[in-house]
Amino acid sequence: MHSLEPSSRRLTLSLFIAATVLAGSLRALVINNDLWLDEVWSVQQATTIASPSNIFLNLHHDNNHHLNTLWLWLCGTDAGPVLQRSLSFVAGILAILLTGVLTLRWGRVAAAVAMLMASISIVFVQYATEARGYSLAVCFALAAHWCLRRHLTSRSLRSAMGFGCLCTLGVMSHLSFLQYYFAATYWTSGALSDDRTSLPEWCVRMIRCHALAIVCLGVFYVVDVRYLTLGGGPRMNAISVFINAVSIFAGGALDEPHRLGHFLVVAFGIIAGLRQLIRSGHDEWKFFACLFLLFPIFRVVLLPAGLMYERYFLILLAFAVIPVSVSAAQLLQGHIYHRICLVTLAVLFVAGNLLHLKVLAENGRGQYQQTMAMIANESPGAIRISSDHPFRNRLLIEYFVARCAKHPPLEYMEFGEWTVPPEWMICHSMPRDPDPAVNFFDANGCPRATLKIHGTNYNLRLMTNTAELSGCDWLCYQLDPNALRIRRQPERHRLRYSSHRQHIPEHFHGSERQRH
């Protein structure tokens, strides 16, 4: 890292303070909206366990992000979204500062660009304001990399212990941390050797660096990971998700043809940055090459298609900021045309991400509290409600109705399991879900004003939207007043619910497959 004169230290400190203020201000805009499904699920898991040890020994589920679950357990059942998300918020701010520290090796301008990108990019804003483990994993990966750098320079035991501890905390935040650890292992395997190093000496150096991390990760695998079960969700094309992640990081669109332009610009920035690293004599380019090339190829191309979301590439994107910033700083020193090109790209980056932030601020991750408050206020007795998904909607309904100022008793009726039709019907739509449970939009993309469900009419009362990366849209339908005269039907006409084939209303079109 460049040595800094006292006058330049003050300027550097000012840059870090400015980045903290900017990042904190943007994240404060979107931290107090409704929890979405995965967050509510995490809260439910955390608040129903008897002991925090169960988080690590008994709760073997991919929705259990261990450190985040422990934090939610400490927060308790009555905590609000700001407190529940505060651990991710703090980790997100620290991650931005660590990005600046790691990039400062290539100059103050590169560090300033890196912190600006990490502060504004919607993917970092989004997941630093969710009660999940992704922001923590990013923070620990960057911190572990700082320790690893120090160890490769000093070979001290203290830095090796710090690296091992941070790797353990990173994996307990989210298993996507392993992306970083695999690349770090590849880098150290070469960095800890030289022309005179014998094989036994190289093994001793590797053990000294990775012993604590490997032991802790091994224990973690034995007590938890090998029993892991998956919660399910929409299955998307892995390559498309990877391109989406890079595109939205740069302020681009999701699932649009021009997203490839943003993807290619970021890829070019990474390659140009790695070229600068090679020219400057830093062998750290091997780490970045492994992280950006080998892991995506292995995960996206070689492994079978599975549950894949943009957030799983968050660590990769956090480290992508470094070479992109190095290449941006180099362009600033180039020809006037290079500077014009850089300014244009910077404007597009900021504008695109601010538009995404605007959508997130307006829609949140869904507006479930608003819907349930309306239903509670208009239900004189118990809330008799059903929905088009027995898990996604029911979990949200039960969570938010308990937080209404007026919270009458809730009677959730499984779809079709009724003799008297429920007063309310909730239908949901997850953005970019390739296989929605039902489709309640017409051919023009407009929500249907009326649904006929098992011969009973329901009228649309409220539609709420969600942001692009988390949550779901809700359509709230109320029983038609003319149908209120319909009361108990003979038992022989009772509707039956099938776990393999959902009864779809007559006006619903599209896939009828129900996922659990």
Side-chain angles (χ1 to χ4, degrees):
M1 182 180 297
H2 295 300
S3 59
L4 299 177
E5 298 296 332
S7 58
S8 63
R9 288 178 183 174
R10 289 192 292 271
L11 178 57
T12 302
L13 180 60
S14 299
L15 290 175
F16 279 80
I17 294 174
T20 302
V21 173
L22 175 62
S25 300
L26 295 179
R27 285 150 180 75
L29 296 174
V30 295
I31 196 174
N32 197 30
N33 48 40
D34 292 346
L35 304 184
W36 70 290
L37 174 62
D38 284 9
E39 293 178 291
V40 171
W41 197 359
S42 297
V43 171
Q44 181 195 56
Q45 291 177 326
T47 55
T48 55
I49 60 174
S51 169
S53 62
N54 293 338
I55 297 173
F56 303 91
L57 300 178
N58 297 321
L59 192 55
H60 308 303
H61 198 281
D62 69 334
N63 194 66
N64 175 25
H65 302 176
H66 298 74
L67 296 185
N68 179 71
T69 305
L70 179 61
W71 172 253
L72 294 176
W73 181 84
L74 293 172
C75 290
T77 57
D78 298 327
V82 174
L83 179 59
Q84 291 165 327
R85 292 166 170 165
S86 58
L87 186 62
S88 292
F89 178 87
V90 172
I93 300 297
L94 291 176
I96 292 169
L97 301 180
L98 286 167
T99 300
V101 170
L102 292 174
T103 314
L104 196 59
R105 165 181 288 182
W106 292 281
R108 191 165 49 240
V109 174
V113 173
M115 289 189 291
L116 179 65
M117 293 177 65
S119 298
I120 295 178
S121 181
I122 188 61
V123 292
F124 301 123
V125 175
Q126 177 108 16
Y127 297 113
T129 54
E130 289 189 2
R132 308 284 283 147
Y134 305 109
S135 182
L136 290 168
V138 169
C139 180
F140 287 127
L142 294 168
H145 198 68
W146 180 79
C147 281
L148 183 58
R149 274 187 182 178
R150 294 178 63 86
H151 178 73
L152 294 179
T153 301
S154 64
R155 308 287 171 88
S156 69
L157 181 61
R158 178 183 299 180
S159 58
M161 294 296 100
F163 173 73
C165 290
L166 290 167
C167 287
T168 304
L169 293 172
V171 171
M172 288 193 296
S173 299
H174 193 263
L175 289 177
S176 61
F177 180 89
L178 292 174
Q179 298 176 49
Y180 165 76
Y181 187 70
F182 292 153
T185 303
Y186 171 77
W187 179 33
T188 54
S189 65
L192 290 175
S193 63
D194 52 48
D195 294 338
R196 299 180 180 179
T197 303
S198 62
L199 180 60
E201 184 179 358
W202 176 85
C203 292
V204 170
R205 292 179 180 178
M206 287 292 290
I207 292 173
R208 183 183 178 90
C209 180
H210 291 276
L212 179 59
I214 291 176
V215 169
C216 292
L217 297 183
V219 171
F220 188 61
Y221 171 80
V222 170
V223 301
D224 182 79
V225 175
R226 63 175 176 160
Y227 303 112
L228 198 67
T229 58
L230 302 179
R235 308 180 79 87
M236 304 181 184
N237 180 272
I239 296 177
S240 177
V241 171
F242 178 55
I243 296 174
N244 276 339
V246 177
S247 174
I248 197 169
F249 157 75
L254 296 171
D255 299 317
E256 298 290 343
H258 59 272
R259 65 182 176 151
L260 289 174
H262 292 83
F263 177 86
L264 293 175
V265 168
V266 174
F268 177 81
I270 292 174
I271 294 172
L274 293 182
R275 185 180 179 186
Q276 292 299 319
L277 267 61
I278 295 173
R279 286 182 173 180
S280 61
H282 293 287
D283 66 348
E284 195 172 349
W285 68 269
K286 298 176 183 178
F287 163 79
F288 290 108
C290 179
L291 183 64
F292 300 146
L293 294 178
L294 297 184
F295 182 82
I297 291 174
F298 177 74
R299 179 61 187 91
V300 173
V301 178
L302 299 182
L303 293 183
L307 299 177
M308 177 66 67
Y309 308 103
E310 288 81 7
R311 54 186 179 266
Y312 291 170
F313 295 100
L314 199 61
I315 289 178
L316 183 148
L317 296 174
F319 280 97
V321 167
I322 298 175
V324 170
S325 301
V326 171
S327 62
Q330 183 67 24
L331 281 178
L332 282 175
Q333 302 174 7
H335 195 274
I336 183 64
Y337 297 114
H338 295 162
R339 299 179 187 178
I340 294 174
C341 178
L342 179 62
V343 170
T344 302
L345 293 176
V347 170
L348 293 175
F349 176 88
V350 173
N353 277 291
L354 289 181
L355 287 176
H356 288 302
L357 180 64
K358 180 175 181 292
V359 174
L360 179 59
E362 291 177 350
N363 297 336
R365 297 154 178 89
Q367 302 166 52
Y368 319 106
Q369 186 72 63
Q370 174 187 352
T371 304
M372 295 314 303
M374 180 200 72
I375 291 175
N377 290 332
E378 297 190 15
S379 298
I383 298 176
R384 302 179 66 255
I385 191 170
S386 185
S387 76
D388 67 342
H389 199 287
F391 174 74
R392 292 176 183 170
N393 295 319
R394 182 171 186 172
L395 191 64
L396 293 169
I397 289 169
E398 292 175 344
Y399 182 83
F400 285 103
V401 75
R403 282 154 181 78
C404 293
K406 176 186 177 184
H407 49 279
L410 176 67
E411 182 183 351
Y412 185 87
M413 308 170 68
E414 294 288 357
F415 193 91
E417 287 287 331
W418 59 65
T419 54
V420 177
E423 177 74 12
W424 302 94
M425 176 65 62
I426 297 293
C427 300
H428 85 294
S429 173
M430 299 185 71
R432 300 174 299 111
D433 189 343
D435 183 30
V438 293
N439 186 355
F440 41 79
F441 294 95
D442 60 23
N444 298 320
C446 299
R448 301 181 185 278
T450 302
L451 294 179
K452 179 173 289 187
I453 303 176
H454 299 298
T456 304
N457 289 332
Y458 283 82
N459 300 324
L460 180 64
R461 284 294 310 276
L462 180 66
M463 177 178 180
T464 60
N465 297 315
T466 186
E468 299 150 300
L469 292 173
S470 301
C472 61
D473 302 330
W474 260 15
L475 275 75
C476 176
Y477 287 88
Q478 186 176 19
L479 190 66
D480 189 284
N482 296 326
L484 292 177
R485 58 185 176 82
I486 301 177
R487 282 296 174 253
R488 285 191 179 273
Q489 303 171 2
E491 184 65 24
R492 65 178 180 273
H493 296 305
R494 181 179 174 86
L495 300 171
R496 297 296 179 186
Y497 177 81
S498 169
S499 62
H500 299 288
R501 180 178 176 88
Q502 181 179 351
H503 291 281
I504 304 299
E506 286 89 328
H507 285 183
F508 284 176
H509 299 284
S511 171
E512 300 182 6
R513 188 171 66 203
Q514 175 65 50
R515 292 186 306 275
H516 294 279

